[in-house]
Amino acid sequence: MSGVTIGVLAVQGDVAENIMATKMAIEELGLDGIVTEVKTPEQISDLDGLVIPGGESTVIGTLSLVNGSLKKIKEKIASGMPVFGICAGMIMLSKKAKDRVVGEMDQPLLDFLDVKIERNAFGRQKDSFESEISMDKIGINKFQGVFIRAPSIIDAGKDVEILSKFNEKIIAVKQGNIIGTAFHPELTGDLSLHKYFVSLIKAKH
Amino acid sequence: MIPLSGDLGDTKGVIKEKIGSFSTTRGTSTLKRGFAHMLKNGVVMDVTTVEQAQIAEDAGAVAVMVLDKLPSDVRKAGGVARTASIRIIQEIMDSVTIPVMAKCRIGHVYEAMVLQETNVDMIDESEVLTPADENHHIWKWDFTSPFVNGARNLGEALRRIEEGAAMIRTKGEPGTGNVAEAVIHIKNVNTELRRIKSIYDAGDEQDLISVARELKVSYSVVEETASLGRLPVVNFAAGGISTPADAAYLMTLGCDGVFVGSGIFKADDAKERAQAIVLATTFWEDPDKVKEAQKMIDERQSMLGLDTKNLELRMQERGSTA
């Protein structure tokens, strides 16, 4: 069997960190695979899995719409491709988003994850924080959560599995082959979540 | 993972507190530098009003920088340039969802404190404003909010990082509409990085120590930077960017993103130009897309700009020796 091809959406945000974390995850699992930056619909169509990194969701959404990537990502997710959305990436995957201060948002979203997101749910940058959290359901008991102007989930549909909460706020979810986190595993050096994502892709491949 | 070179650990800006049953920490280097990492490949736009901030957000800006006057107007007005009105910063924070930054004067610790209390997402200790202390920059480790600083060369950049800057931008020559100085500064930094990387690769510690002395920065910061072969924090281009092609060119030189000051809102086609510069920054590797972006602007509507050789005020020299 040939190796897996995993893309990191490279429109805007912390792309390089996710490429490195995913590469290291593949290596630690002893698998074959390549990890690549993707920007165009053509590049996306070849993927077995996709990471949508942290950044600004309005920017990532607007620009993926412009060059047709958004449509291609939708097709791929609909056909079952596993996808991992981090912070802005989780917002992108959701059906609905509002901002804590500005209110309801009309921004381009992928419309898959059956949740309503509150953007900047913990406040502005000064309120960004690190804290130890856990995701027992997927076997990760201890994880350093790095929350940067992080969103949270205020409503989750019945097919959405809640993986983690911080002080009653939902911060990590899974729905089928879609994973979303409000925090940034790629900034921590802990590969367990990226490894979990790679194993989902491997199982599907 | 992000590099944490020069990190001082539990400084005054790091705050530990309990939220519910969770122990949390704010103001760490990971959070400050991590914030800057989320801006990568984006465009930060200078704005002076709520309307401009909304145009910037709609165009795809990754953040806005609030000023009282755009840099070219600072030049024209003369006098002392200070931090923007808190009321306007607050109004802008209430009307856009992207991060809001604001500038304080070099060395003006209390202007920075006021901006931190206002809750701006990042503070720019900027040469565009009149310096309050030419000999000492702010000791940024004392703050929970992250800072960005300007630099013309590697020494300046590393000294600012040693003081706690979470992000660096080239100084360029603000408010001139002329990208030439920004190009020189990024090339200076790149050349010096290549030099220290080669010293590091050769294993010549003695030479690396002389580099630290020459750059007036501690050995550990030089060593870690040399091992990485790039700045340990996110590095944006700034100063004089006016067109999509300007932005794309700076991206080819290895910048992580761009700040655009007067270039957008001093042009007569601000809205189209803002969108075009975002497109060119995102798709800089694709000349056809940059051409399409360049087509969206009208050169007759660009800001006139200034020749940087005959300026009375060279903002880039402010705070450069400290």
Side-chain angles (χ1 to χ4, degrees), chain B residues 9-31:
Chain B
D10 285 356
T11 52
K12 230 172 157 184
V14 174
I15 295 171
K16 292 177 193 284
E17 60 199 359
K18 208 96 172 148
I19 299 181
S21 59
F22 291 83
S23 303
T24 69
T25 315
R26 296 190 283 133
T28 63
S29 283
T30 300
L31 292 167

Side-chain angles (χ1 to χ4, degrees), chain A residues 142-203:
Chain A
K142 248 172 122 174
F143 199 89
Q144 186 66 12
V146 175
F147 295 81
I148 297 178
R149 282 173 49 93
S152 79
I153 288 169
I154 45 180
D155 266 324
K158 62 173 172 36
D159 297 330
V160 178
E161 197 179 345
I162 293 162
L163 298 181
S164 187
K165 281 188 179 181
F166 172 88
N167 201 27
E168 300 311 307
K169 287 187 167 161
I170 303 171
I171 49 162
V173 290
K174 179 172 184 291
Q175 178 186 328
N177 281 325
I178 304 173
I179 312 174
T181 65
F183 49 89
H184 292 277
E186 77 283 9
L187 301 183
T188 62
D190 184 336
L191 298 174
S192 49
L193 251 178
H194 281 81
K195 274 166 47 182
Y196 176 73
F197 178 60
V198 172
S199 66
L200 279 186
I201 299 169
K202 176 79 172 31

Side-chain angles (χ1 to χ4, degrees), chain A residues 101-185:
Chain A
V101 176
V102 177
E104 296 299 325
M105 296 294 295
D106 178 25
Q107 63 183 99
L109 299 172
L110 287 160
D111 200 20
F112 273 97
L113 199 51
D114 188 13
V115 298
K116 182 167 184 189
I117 301 260
E118 182 175 54
R119 291 181 55 198
N120 305 316
F122 300 91
R124 305 192 74 94
Q125 172 58 19
K126 202 172 70 186
D127 305 308
S128 292
F129 64 96
E130 296 185 49
S131 184
E132 194 180 289
I133 52 149
S134 63
M135 290 165 281
D136 294 339
K137 278 187 191 157
I138 55 171
I140 300 172
N141 308 341
K142 248 172 122 174
F143 199 89
Q144 186 66 12
V146 175
F147 295 81
I148 297 178
R149 282 173 49 93
S152 79
I153 288 169
I154 45 180
D155 266 324
K158 62 173 172 36
D159 297 330
V160 178
E161 197 179 345
I162 293 162
L163 298 181
S164 187
K165 281 188 179 181
F166 172 88
N167 201 27
E168 300 311 307
K169 287 187 167 161
I170 303 171
I171 49 162
V173 290
K174 179 172 184 291
Q175 178 186 328
N177 281 325
I178 304 173
I179 312 174
T181 65
F183 49 89
H184 292 277

Side-chain angles (χ1 to χ4, degrees), chain B:
Chain B
M1 253 190 107
I2 59 176
L4 297 176
S5 81
D7 183 15
L8 296 187
D10 285 356
T11 52
K12 230 172 157 184
V14 174
I15 295 171
K16 292 177 193 284
E17 60 199 359
K18 208 96 172 148
I19 299 181
S21 59
F22 291 83
S23 303
T24 69
T25 315
R26 296 190 283 133
T28 63
S29 283
T30 300
L31 292 167
K32 290 173 170 177
R33 293 184 191 184
F35 167 74
H37 279 243
M38 300 310 147
L39 305 175
K40 285 197 292 184
N41 235 57
V43 182
V44 183
M45 298 183 191
D46 278 2
V47 298
T48 58
T49 63
V50 170
E51 294 71 40
Q52 288 179 352
Q54 278 163 345
I55 292 172
E57 182 174 47
D58 291 343
V62 78
V64 290
M65 172 79 71
V66 186
L67 294 90
D68 172 50
K69 295 181 199 70
L70 291 172
S72 73
D73 291 329
V74 170
R75 255 177 213 292
K76 278 190 208 128
V80 177
R82 312 179 183 90
T83 197
S85 307
I86 300 303
R87 185 179 54 80
I88 293 180
I89 297 174
Q90 190 67 56
E91 279 173 17
I92 291 175
M93 290 198 311
D94 291 341
S95 63
V96 297
T97 64
I98 54 178
V100 175
M101 307 182 181
K103 289 180 189 286
C104 72
R105 285 178 261 178
I106 290 175
H108 202 313
V109 174
Y110 230 105
E111 248 180 23
M113 296 267 264
V114 167
L115 292 177
Q116 175 168 271
E117 287 304 307
T118 306
N119 228 343
V120 300
D121 295 291
M122 185 171 240
I123 300 166
D124 184 2
E125 186 180 17
S126 175
E127 67 282 3
V128 168
L129 308 185
T130 313
D133 184 347
E134 286 262 21
N135 300 319
H136 303 88
H137 283 72
I138 295 168
W139 188 248
K140 292 163 274 281
W141 298 109
D142 286 349
F143 288 75
T144 309
S145 300
F147 279 73
V148 55
N149 273 89
R152 302 192 299 172
N153 51 49
L154 186 61
E156 274 189 63
L158 295 186
R159 291 197 294 277
R160 300 296 84 83
I161 291 167
E162 191 168 49
E163 295 156 359
M167 179 175 178
I168 293 294
R169 54 172 176 75
T170 61
K171 283 181 166 173
E173 192 52 55
T176 59
N178 187 342
V179 79
E181 299 294 312
V183 170
I184 292 171
H185 297 166
I186 193 68
K187 286 190 172 175
N188 279 345
V189 171
N190 288 344
T191 305
E192 290 174 282
L193 281 168
R194 277 197 292 273
R195 178 179 148 229
I196 66 168
K197 177 87 164 73
S198 71
I199 297 171
Y200 179 86
D201 290 344
D204 190 341
E205 265 179 64
Q206 190 179 14
D207 206 6
L208 216 49
I209 289 172
S210 10
V211 169
R213 288 182 185 143
E214 179 197 319
L215 300 181
K216 297 187 281 182
V217 66
S218 60
Y219 177 73
S220 65
V221 174
V222 171
E223 190 193 26
E224 204 172 340
T225 306
S227 74
L228 293 167
R230 61 152 292 149
L231 290 182
V233 300
V234 165
N235 182 25
F236 270 40
I241 296 163
S242 303
T243 69
D246 285 350
Y249 176 38
L250 284 157
M251 292 301 287
T252 66
L253 298 177
C255 295
D256 295 313
V258 299
F259 283 88
V260 187
S262 316
I264 291 173
F265 290 105
K266 276 299 173 190
D268 295 327
D269 54 356
K271 206 170 168 182
E272 294 77 14
R273 194 170 293 251
Q275 287 173 350
I277 290 176
V278 170
L279 282 174
T281 306
T282 307
F283 300 112
W284 61 272
E285 289 152 301
D286 182 347
D288 185 54
K289 286 229 166 58
V290 176
K291 180 208 76 187
E292 289 303 318
Q294 188 78 9
K295 233 164 122 179
M296 291 165 67
I297 65 153
D298 181 351
E299 179 52 23
R300 285 168 297 187
Q301 299 189 13
S302 294
M303 69 180 282
L304 180 56
L306 294 168
D307 177 4
T308 48
K309 285 210 176 60
N310 304 305
L311 292 174
E312 269 179 38
L313 171 62
R314 283 173 66 82
M315 291 175 172
Q316 59 176 281
E317 280 157 16
R318 291 169 159 174
S320 59
T321 52

Side-chain angles (χ1 to χ4, degrees), chain A residues 35-56:
Chain A
V35 184
T36 156
E37 280 189 17
V38 293
K39 223 178 228 187
T40 64
E42 298 74 42
Q43 292 166 331
I44 293 161
S45 65
D46 295 333
L47 298 177
D48 301 312
L50 176 71
V51 180
I52 307 181
E56 276 306 312

